[in-house]
Amino acid sequence: MSRYFIEVSYKGTLYAGFQSQQNANAIQDEVEKALQVYFRNVFQLTGSSRTDAGVHASQNFFHFDFDFPEIVDWEKVVYHLNAILPADIVIRQIFAVADNRHSRFDALYRTYEYSIYASKDPFLADRAFFYPYQVDIDLLNQAASLIKENIDFESFSKRNSQVFTYLCTIHTSEWITRDKTLVYRVSGNRFLRGMVRGLVGTMLKVGRKKTSLEEFKNIIASHNPALVDFSVPPQGLTLVKVAY
């Protein structure tokens, strides 16, 4: 068996998430179906990062194992697979890797961005969060800096998350402005379920001066998800990079 990586981009609006699940359509299901149609074989993909329903990705990866009887022209295959796939999913490339490479466990870090906009704009509605309130960007960045000083993010993990540890190493955490949007950019070795949206929702309260920086610091230290605001919607979140 040889191992291959698939790089994909997608708009997650219509999907229940990245990985397959019961009674719902996910990005993985569509890519597996396209592979099956083209190669007339069943493929089982392994994903690099889970994204929730409605979340987008400009870069994400699968891997799969298969023995092809002859050399494959992957550029041609990618062209035909993209013709089969829905318009909101695209395969960027497929390439061979060492047999022990793993799309999830070999990732060095992942980068997410969460975008918000303050003035109504129909062209941003499905990929950013409409948040028509004035926020203090300096306070937002002070809160973002506190995140890099911590490694235990149990407070920002949704209940019933089945994980072996809440420890994450965050090396980028900042708020930037880009065109008409305010963007939270965060990179780390791993992320917990709901973590980025919880960080954004809670920091926005800091930016509106409803929560002080000291209170935000205490929320991180509390290990209590009940203190965190997970309510920001999924369409503002994009997985922008998975680095190997």
Side-chain angles (χ1 to χ4, degrees):
M1 286 281 186
S2 298
R3 179 157 291 185
Y4 300 88
F5 271 33
I6 305 178
E7 181 185 353
V8 296
S9 300
Y10 52 88
K11 182 178 175 184
T13 306
L14 301 179
Y15 300 94
F18 184 57
Q19 292 187 309
S20 292
Q21 49 198 284
Q22 289 187 338
N23 304 316
N25 193 33
I27 303 298
Q28 180 178 345
D29 301 318
E30 294 294 339
V31 178
E32 287 179 346
K33 282 189 290 187
L35 286 166
Q36 183 173 349
V37 168
Y38 184 78
F39 287 110
R40 298 183 181 180
N41 236 304
V42 176
F43 289 80
Q44 179 62 52
L45 301 179
T46 298
S48 69
S49 300
R50 295 177 180 175
T51 53
D52 292 336
V55 174
H56 318 299
S58 51
Q59 185 184 66
N60 207 346
F61 289 88
F62 293 108
H63 79 249
F64 69 94
D65 297 323
F66 201 78
D67 273 333
F68 293 98
E70 56 189 30
I71 295 174
V72 178
D73 181 346
W74 286 113
E75 188 173 334
K76 178 182 176 182
V77 169
V78 167
Y79 174 84
H80 287 291
L81 289 174
N82 282 329
I84 297 168
L85 285 165
D88 47 11
I89 304 173
V90 62
I91 293 176
R92 300 295 184 188
Q93 59 176 331
I94 302 176
F95 53 96
V97 295
D99 293 348
N100 62 349
R101 292 297 303 275
H102 197 286
S103 60
R104 179 182 175 190
F105 299 128
D106 286 348
L108 300 176
Y109 66 88
R110 297 164 176 85
T111 301
Y112 286 89
E113 291 185 352
Y114 193 95
S115 301
I116 68 173
Y117 62 107
S119 298
K120 187 176 180 180
D121 187 332
F123 299 104
L124 291 173
D126 59 354
R127 55 189 178 88
F129 173 33
F130 180 46
Y131 195 73
Y133 305 103
Q134 189 168 4
V135 294
D136 187 318
I137 297 179
D138 182 57
L139 282 175
L140 287 176
N141 271 312
Q142 288 183 62
S145 293
L146 291 174
I147 292 165
K148 293 189 291 183
E149 298 174 6
N150 291 271
I151 59 171
D152 190 325
F153 290 93
E154 183 177 1
S155 296
F156 296 91
S157 177
K158 285 189 175 180
R159 297 285 191 188
N160 302 317
S161 296
Q162 297 177 344
V163 294
F164 63 92
T165 178
Y166 296 102
L167 302 184
C168 308
T169 301
I170 304 300
H171 55 79
T172 300
S173 177
E174 61 181 356
W175 287 86
I176 60 174
T177 54
R178 181 189 297 148
D179 299 326
K180 298 178 180 180
T181 59
L182 177 62
V183 179
Y184 175 57
R185 185 175 179 87
V186 59
S187 297
N189 67 325
R190 63 190 294 266
F191 291 89
L192 305 167
R193 179 170 167 260
M195 178 173 165
V196 179
R197 289 161 67 186
L199 289 169
V200 169
T202 310
M203 280 190 285
L204 286 175
K205 289 188 172 181
V206 175
R208 291 185 66 192
K209 301 180 181 178
K210 291 189 170 184
T211 297
S212 69
L213 285 167
E214 189 63 29
E215 288 170 329
F216 182 70
K217 188 184 297 186
N218 291 337
I219 289 171
I220 298 174
S222 71
H223 307 293
N224 184 3
L227 302 177
V228 170
D229 185 351
F230 291 100
S231 66
V232 298
Q235 72 267 19
L237 184 59
T238 300
L239 173 61
V240 298
K241 185 177 180 63
V242 183
Y244 293 96

